[in-house]
Amino acid sequence: MLDERFFDEGLNRVGSDCIKWDACRREHGENTLPMWVADMDFKSPPEVTRALMERAQHPTYGYTEVTAADHEALCAFWKRRHGLEVAHEDIVMLPCVVTGMKIALQALTEPGDAVIYQPPVYGPFSMSVESTGRTAMEAPLKRDEKGYYTMDLEAVEQCCRNGAKLMLLCSPHNPVGRCWTKEELTALVDVLRKYEVILVSDEIHADFVFAPSVFTPALALGYDRTVSLAAASKTFNLAGLQQSVCLCPNAELREKLNATVNATGVTTGNIFALTATRAAYQYGDEWLDGLIAYLAGNIREMEACTAELLPGAVLTPMEATYLAWLDLRAWGLSTEEIMKRCEKTGVAFTGGTFFSKELGDGFVRVNLGCPRRNIREAMKRLQAALN
Ligand SMILES: Cc1ncc(COP(=O)(O)O)c(C=O)c1O
């Protein structure tokens, strides 16, 4: 396992055209510390870089096939890390997870059909429903005074009764950091099964789960109208390469997904995306175990900084993801005002309203995928912005 020094070192990403640092500094100022978009400031596994360099040295880059080795690497990883058996034929290759969400909506529902999701949740859930001409049906999460979130199954069932056709689940959940338990997921699926509502589970954060929580894949729940969306991109910081998958054991649904992929002209087969993804799945375990241990330390640092510097804030307990959900409503400011003030003190977060205009106002999401020292610095800048 890689030790903390590897992650403490981080790396200078300025000037690499990365959205997190370069676009952010262009918009908010040169000294801004970016704690926003879910992208990490660590070197990807050295095995990935090596594989990319080797491939780049073969000096031609023609049409490339997706091979059994690509599928095999993914299947072995999911079996090893999450105990899930994936058959090669269940895999639909896609460029990114949000593409998968939009493909699933177009393939498995009709224009105008109602789609359930649970705000506050990653903004592209509602945006995808809107952009594909489907109708949003919200079943907001419940929140207790400690900031811990749970599903409102009665609200989900009401949506089902009102005719919803599909549910978009975020598992683990961004931004509220829940790793849904097997019991919670089973109860959810029992409701969906009753009304034959299709489950599309976005599992891009599956690998960021902290003990004692354990990730349960939606495909392990035994509901045959389930599709899951997954990628190595978040886990190994490869999002710029654009490679993801949709996993669908149900042949009838998969046929529809493939037909929509075909009709919309989405293609995969980027040489470098395939090379990097395969290497990450095959050889990334040691790096990933080191990363998870390091991120667990970052979460403890975030808890300590919040208690010390922002005693009025409520930090949602984190079971999963490297994204902290911070309730700053004690200051009585809108997210917009908080973000404006943060621009002055040199720190950028993702505003809570990206996840829900109503339920996220007065919140920010803090990206902890960075060297530990940046967390204290960011929280000091947030404290200065608020006080
Ligand atoms: C829950 C969730 N889904 C999807 C994505 C984006 O994935 P992609 O870049 O593959 O579309 C993110 C990125 O932060 C995310 O948090």
Side-chain angles (χ1 to χ4, degrees):
M1 189 159 100
L2 289 180
D3 70 21
E4 296 216 328
R5 281 171 298 183
F6 177 90
F7 299 99
D8 266 336
E9 201 182 320
L11 81 168
N12 180 6
R13 302 181 66 190
V14 174
S16 66
D17 292 337
C18 76
I19 289 179
K20 186 178 184 183
W21 287 81
D22 292 321
C24 178
R25 289 187 158 202
R26 201 165 50 243
E27 194 177 332
H28 301 292
E30 222 173 88
N31 294 315
T32 304
L33 186 55
M35 307 292 281
W36 67 299
V37 64
D39 193 295
M40 299 184 286
D41 300 325
F42 305 123
K43 290 177 193 157
S44 289
E47 293 81 359
V48 170
T49 309
R50 206 170 301 133
L52 285 170
M53 304 279 269
E54 260 173 34
R55 183 58 192 85
Q57 268 162 5
H58 184 266
T60 193
Y61 311 102
Y63 291 118
T64 297
E65 60 175 344
V66 175
T67 65
D70 295 302
H71 288 172
E72 190 43 54
L74 176 139
C75 294
F77 181 87
W78 272 79
K79 174 78 182 141
R80 204 163 65 236
R81 306 232 31 135
H82 303 302
L84 185 74
E85 297 279 358
V86 178
H88 288 209
E89 63 268 23
D90 300 349
I91 303 171
V92 179
M93 302 289 265
L94 293 167
C96 30
V97 166
V98 173
T99 310
M101 226 180 276
K102 292 179 179 177
I103 293 283
L105 289 169
Q106 291 180 75
L108 309 178
T109 64
E110 299 295 327
D113 276 354
V115 176
I116 310 169
Y117 56 86
Q118 298 167 301
V121 69
Y122 181 59
F125 276 51
S126 62
M127 293 169 202
S128 298
V129 171
E130 206 172 294
S131 69
T132 54
R134 273 57 180 170
T135 308
M137 247 191 210
E138 298 193 345
L141 297 172
K142 294 195 279 194
R143 180 180 196 275
D144 71 14
E145 72 286 355
K146 292 202 173 83
Y148 191 73
Y149 288 78
T150 47
M151 292 195 196
D152 185 344
L153 285 189
E154 279 171 26
V156 172
E157 180 147 18
Q158 188 56 49
C159 293
C160 295
R161 271 198 294 271
N162 290 344
K165 294 287 187 270
L166 183 148
M167 173 164 178
L168 290 176
L169 173 72
C170 195
S171 178
H173 192 97
N174 169 18
V176 310
R178 279 299 319 278
C179 171
W180 305 116
T181 63
K182 190 168 186 192
E183 291 68 32
E184 286 173 299
L185 291 169
T186 302
L188 172 69
V189 157
D190 285 345
V191 173
L192 300 181
R193 187 186 280 116
K194 204 160 124 191
Y195 298 87
E196 298 187 357
V197 171
I198 294 169
L199 175 62
V200 175
S201 183
D202 174 345
E203 302 186 344
I204 196 169
H205 293 282
D207 300 312
F208 302 105
V209 170
F210 306 99
S213 293
V214 176
F215 173 69
T216 304
L219 290 174
L221 300 168
Y223 177 42
D224 75 338
R225 295 167 76 76
T226 301
V227 172
S228 91
L229 303 172
S233 61
K234 199 67 63 187
T235 308
F236 298 101
N237 225 49
L238 311 173
L241 291 164
Q242 309 231 311
Q243 177 64 55
S244 78
V245 287
C246 173
L247 304 176
C248 181
N250 179 320
E252 190 191 327
L253 298 185
R254 197 171 59 242
E255 208 171 294
K256 291 182 181 176
L257 290 164
N258 278 320
T260 304
V261 166
N262 191 23
T264 50
V266 169
T267 57
T268 44
N270 179 294
I271 299 172
F272 295 108
L274 293 171
T275 300
T277 303
R278 200 167 53 229
Y281 281 146
Q282 284 175 330
Y283 309 116
D285 285 55
E286 190 193 350
W287 180 94
L288 181 53
D289 291 338
L291 173 72
I292 296 303
Y294 189 79
L295 291 175
N298 278 6
I299 291 171
R300 289 193 291 275
E301 174 71 355
M302 180 66 191
E303 287 164 351
C305 289
T306 305
E308 217 177 289
L309 302 170
L310 299 168
V314 181
L315 176 66
T316 280
M318 292 179 70
E319 297 169 344
T321 84
Y322 54 80
L323 307 161
W325 185 235
L326 194 59
D327 176 2
L328 301 172
R329 287 176 300 170
W331 279 264
L333 303 169
S334 66
T335 289
E336 199 185 347
E337 178 60 25
I338 296 168
M339 303 286 276
K340 256 192 234 156
R341 291 181 179 210
C342 285
E343 184 161 303
K344 292 207 182 92
T345 60
V347 63
F349 303 105
T350 304
T353 47
F354 178 69
F355 307 93
S356 166
K357 287 211 168 42
E358 299 78 32
L359 302 172
D361 204 17
F363 291 73
V364 294
R365 190 195 69 178
V366 184
N367 179 345
L368 307 180
C370 58
R372 198 158 298 152
R373 58 187 172 276
N374 291 4
I375 296 171
R376 185 161 289 271
E377 182 55 34
M379 288 303 103
K380 281 188 189 161
R381 294 184 191 193
L382 176 59
Q383 184 194 39
L386 293 172
N387 295 330

